Amino acid sequence: MAEAGTGFLEQLKSCIVWSWTYLWTLWFFIMLFLVYILRVPLKINDNLTTVSMFLNTLTPKFYVALTGTSSLISGLILVSTTSINITLEFDFDIQNCISGFMQTNRYLFSSSVNSYAPSAASAAGGDADSNRQSVSECKVWRNPLNLFRGAEYNRYTWVTGREPLTYYDMNLSAQDHQTFFTCDTDHLRPADAIMQKAWRERNPQARISAAHEALELNECATAYILLAEEEATTIVEAEKLFKQALKAGEGCYRRSQQLQHHGAQYEAQHRRDTNVLVYIKRRLAMCARKLGRTREAVKMMRDLMKEFPLLSMFNIHENLLEALLELQAYADVQAVLAKYDDISLPKSATICYTAALLKARAVSDKFSPEAASRRGLSTAEMNAVEAIHRAVEFNPHVPKYLLEMKSLILPPEHILKRGDSEAIAYAFFHLQHWKRVEGALNLLHCTWEGTFRMIPYPLEKGHLFYPYPICTETADRELLPSFHEVSVYPKKELPFFILFTAGLCSFTAMLALLTHQFPELMGVFAKAFLSTLFAPLNFVMEKVESILPSSLWHQLTRI
């Protein structure tokens, strides 16, 4: 169906080209016809005086008729081209809806196992069909490398006076916290009941006060998490609070693990305690990475992935990849990619661009575009270029940040895969790794734009991935702050002929109005314009007359 739709679009575009050719040819012959009807002797050997007399005998009605006719033709061309362009975009949308409906089941089945969405966490099993239709391609994911609010985001606000997080992003985080850190039995424990209300508070100070209140009643792991995330102003303070949370969380986890089979309530409580423990250990590993203890962070991440192999919704492997790249342990990075860069698993910019970086590393130090154009690409260079094309097709926004063509901002707490938000989150942490590999950015600079020649119509058909989703711009504008210029792909630009026709129509209409209002002044202007226009031609003709014999020139003028 997609191939048939592509063929139809190609035919439609060829019809547009032929329509343009026909309309412009018609306009040209109409102008020639008007000149023929109102003709006077304007042969080459006539002097400029004859032309001036002809212009002086013309009335304003002639100019109005001439410019009005050209305005009418230009307007018809503008309207027809605009309608065709709108029809073409509408056909794109219809085709995307049809192909997306057929692909959604397979795509969502492979990604729902490893994804997290608040709506999916609270849905009932009997509503599977409605959930399948409600979840769109532009699903928002939790950023696995999200920063600390108190120690990083708030410090940015204190220095610049700008808010790096949007209300929509923080609201999604609040839903995440309620899903991960609360359960139905919290009302039975006073400290957990207070924290259940704290996660719903919009005011940060109210949340922090509630966390302190909960700690006065009991050693509450989620209260320590909130204080570490929002009250701690440095990573060192956050790490201390997370260690206290780990001590309290491990005790709750051991107690709930023994009672998890005694009923549904105990099972829900154990699931909550598991989420809390995994979150704390992951954040402790991130603290160690930020404080320079990278090997310790790698060990903590590996142990966490072995202890809880099924909780891949946290995407801990992306944290592990970034830490291994910092250690320059490229063999270990390749081993992680071999496990997670699988066709059945959902992709990400981290997976695709890290794979491209490893292949580029093998050839980038000796790569030269001049030498490659002379001798052709070797097998290793071809593999590196194909990996870059694959990564760019998945997320075309990343190269502009890696090549520093766009300025970076702090990454949001949630990202949209294949969107600008994911590109910012990836480049913010991985730009240093690309700079460390000699020649990698040069290879990326020389080859990344070639991807767009392989996918000329990315909204209707992809090469290695599904067509690029059309809703990324809207979702990214809600996730990213207003002071950031959102990267848009593909750019929605009007065709040149529409802009040209609109300008031509406006110019001829203005010319007709000025001719009607100021006929004498426009006559002087037209005379001066034609004099200037024909001055080079008259000069050439005088030279030709002086060189050629008079008899030969007489015969040519008669012809």
Side-chain angles (χ1 to χ4, degrees), residues 270-327:
H270 176 67
R271 189 183 307 113
R272 191 277 307 268
D273 293 337
T274 303
N275 292 336
V276 170
L277 185 62
V278 172
Y279 185 90
I280 294 171
K281 289 186 175 183
R282 173 175 165 269
R283 281 312 231 179
L284 279 172
M286 294 178 68
C287 289
R289 167 68 182 91
K290 292 176 183 293
L291 294 174
R293 306 194 306 270
T294 309
R295 295 189 182 277
E296 179 184 346
V298 169
K299 183 179 183 304
M300 295 172 66
M301 293 174 191
R302 290 187 183 277
D303 293 342
L304 185 58
M305 295 171 65
K306 291 179 181 179
E307 186 177 0
F308 302 98
L310 299 179
L311 290 182
S312 55
M313 59 186 173
F314 288 99
N315 291 326
I316 305 173
H317 61 276
E318 296 195 9
N319 300 80
L320 179 60
L321 284 173
E322 196 278 328
L324 290 173
L325 287 173
E326 178 64 22
L327 295 175

Side-chain angles (χ1 to χ4, degrees), residues 131 190 291 297 315 330 371 382 390 444 502:
N131 288 342
L291 294 174
N315 291 326
Y330 297 110
M382 184 64 69
R390 170 179 177 259
L444 178 67

Side-chain angles (χ1 to χ4, degrees), residues 334-348:
Q334 185 62 55
V336 175
L337 287 177
K339 181 178 180 181
Y340 290 97
D341 192 6
D342 187 79
I343 191 173
S344 62
L345 298 177
K347 298 296 180 291
S348 67

Side-chain angles (χ1 to χ4, degrees), residues 369-404:
E370 294 80 9
S373 62
R374 290 194 304 268
R375 58 174 171 78
L377 294 175
S378 63
T379 303
E381 291 174 339
M382 184 64 69
N383 292 335
V385 172
E386 289 177 354
I388 291 176
H389 287 173
R390 170 179 177 259
V392 174
E393 181 183 356
F394 181 82
N395 194 317
H397 309 282
V398 173
K400 290 185 178 180
Y401 294 104
L402 293 179
L403 299 173
E404 298 182 270

